[in-house]
Amino acid sequence: MAEKTENPAAAPAEEAPRPGWLRQIREIAILLLVIFTIKACIVDQYSIPSGSMEPTLHGNENMFLGDRVLTNKLLFGPRIPFTTIRLMDWWEPQRWDIVVFKPPAGGSEHPRLIKRVVGLPGERVQLKDGKLLINGEVVPFGKTMPKDFEGYWGYAEIERASRLAPEPEARAAFTQMLQKYPPKYGCLPGDEYQVVPEGHYFMLGDNSLNSVDGRMYGWVPRDHLYGRASAVFWPIGHARDFTGFSHTWWGKLLLFGIPTLIVGFEVRQWRKERAEKLARAK
């Protein structure tokens, strides 16, 4: 009986190992996709373009000096990246929320702004003697407002200051402000300037005398809202939580538990790969 001989050509070919560089490219692509999705739809960070929210937020063109805020982009509903198209509406913005948004066309030289929500859809807003009136009633300022906040400046207050301010330089500055950025919305009579349309919001800066805001460019469509500013995370000395999230037990669990799990997973993978490498070397 003839002895069987093995035919190497008939044996199934073993799968060639994938080159290391190809695996690295794939992992980097997945990582970039995850980062892009998170930044576009879930959470992102923004710098402060001006001093209009002083002293709540400090603006500075130097990324290491100005405040940087963490913004919840999922709260108001997911949007298609790089557009103002919102796929669905979830939470409604609340009065005194600090939000990041795209200004109306021609409203600002900055592509993104950060202000405080002051007027809600359908409300009649008026700024009078530094006070905010909603539907004819004075509204107390929010708890996250600056402690020394002196109120909002409307057209009448700025016009009066342009005539009666004791210093000539101050009168000239107020006059220039009226000429260059005349406040209209929330200031002038008529529904056009006082009633917030449905699906729109009225945004103001905390630094009322140094803020180009809704008084000048009007109502902001809901679809222009990127998200709600949740916290200042940089510089460390300015760190602040606007939502109270970091003070809850589940907030602490998410803030510290997830990074701990990620670091633990990476350490475990590193030790596993190191052990396999040593085993192959023996």
Side-chain angles (χ1 to χ4, degrees):
M1 186 176 180
E3 185 178 355
K4 289 185 178 179
T5 58
E6 294 184 357
N7 184 3
E14 294 184 3
E15 185 179 356
R18 183 169 296 178
W21 63 269
L22 190 60
R23 182 166 59 94
Q24 290 181 356
I25 290 178
R26 187 191 63 176
E27 292 175 350
I28 291 173
I30 293 174
L31 179 62
L32 291 177
L33 179 62
V34 170
I35 293 174
F36 174 79
T37 303
I38 291 174
K39 284 176 64 65
C41 303
I42 300 177
V43 66
D44 201 357
Q45 60 84 34
Y46 293 97
S47 59
I48 311 301
S50 71
S52 68
M53 282 295 287
E54 297 275 358
T56 306
L57 298 171
H58 305 285
N60 195 303
E61 294 182 354
N62 188 320
M63 65 175 294
F64 296 105
L65 298 179
D67 286 353
R68 301 188 79 83
V69 296
L70 205 61
T71 302
N72 184 338
K73 304 182 81 168
L74 200 59
L75 187 67
F76 301 146
R79 301 167 63 251
I80 297 178
F82 308 116
T83 74
T84 57
I85 301 174
R86 193 175 300 282
L87 300 176
M88 58 187 73
D89 292 333
W90 289 351
W91 290 76
E92 292 296 328
Q94 302 296 307
R95 195 183 331 278
W96 311 125
D97 279 351
I98 299 174
V99 298
V100 178
F101 61 96
K102 175 184 176 182
S108 174
E109 61 186 69
H110 303 289
R112 286 181 295 273
L113 296 176
I114 181 167
K115 308 286 183 190
R116 198 179 287 274
V117 176
V118 169
L120 305 178
E123 291 184 337
R124 179 179 293 277
V125 295
Q126 295 170 283
L127 304 177
K128 189 174 182 181
D129 298 328
K131 301 174 183 175
L132 170 67
L133 281 72
I134 298 294
N135 299 330
E137 301 290 333
V138 176
V139 175
F141 296 130
K143 295 180 180 178
T144 58
M145 299 287 287
K147 293 181 180 177
D148 57 350
F149 184 66
E150 296 180 350
Y152 292 114
W153 287 65
Y155 185 94
E157 290 74 34
I158 299 175
E159 192 277 334
R160 188 162 53 242
S162 70
R163 292 184 289 106
L164 304 178
E167 300 295 332
E169 295 81 4
R171 292 198 297 272
F174 286 123
T175 300
Q176 185 181 19
M177 182 177 179
L178 281 178
Q179 294 172 346
K180 192 172 182 180
Y181 303 110
K184 295 179 289 186
Y185 295 86
C187 304
L188 301 182
D191 291 353
E192 176 186 0
Y193 297 111
Q194 294 189 357
V195 179
V196 184
E198 291 298 327
H200 291 68
Y201 295 87
F202 187 46
M203 313 290 193
L204 296 179
D206 288 357
N207 189 1
S208 191
L209 272 180
N210 189 27
S211 175
V212 177
D213 50 34
R215 294 170 297 174
M216 294 80 179
Y217 49 69
W219 326 117
V220 176
R222 192 186 196 284
D223 288 344
H224 282 215
L225 272 59
Y226 292 122
R228 186 179 71 181
S230 302
V232 177
F233 69 94
W234 183 265
I236 299 299
H238 294 172
R240 183 181 179 187
D241 176 8
F242 293 115
T243 65
F245 168 78
S246 62
H247 302 295
T248 62
W249 68 267
W250 53 273
K252 294 177 181 177
L253 182 64
L254 289 174
L255 285 175
F256 301 107
I258 291 178
T260 300
L261 286 175
I262 293 175
V263 171
F265 176 78
E266 291 296 329
V267 170
R268 180 176 176 275
Q269 287 296 107
W270 174 78
R271 294 185 62 182
K272 180 180 177 182
E273 292 178 1
R274 183 171 179 271
E276 292 175 352
K277 186 176 181 180
L278 291 175
R280 288 195 297 269
K282 290 181 178 178

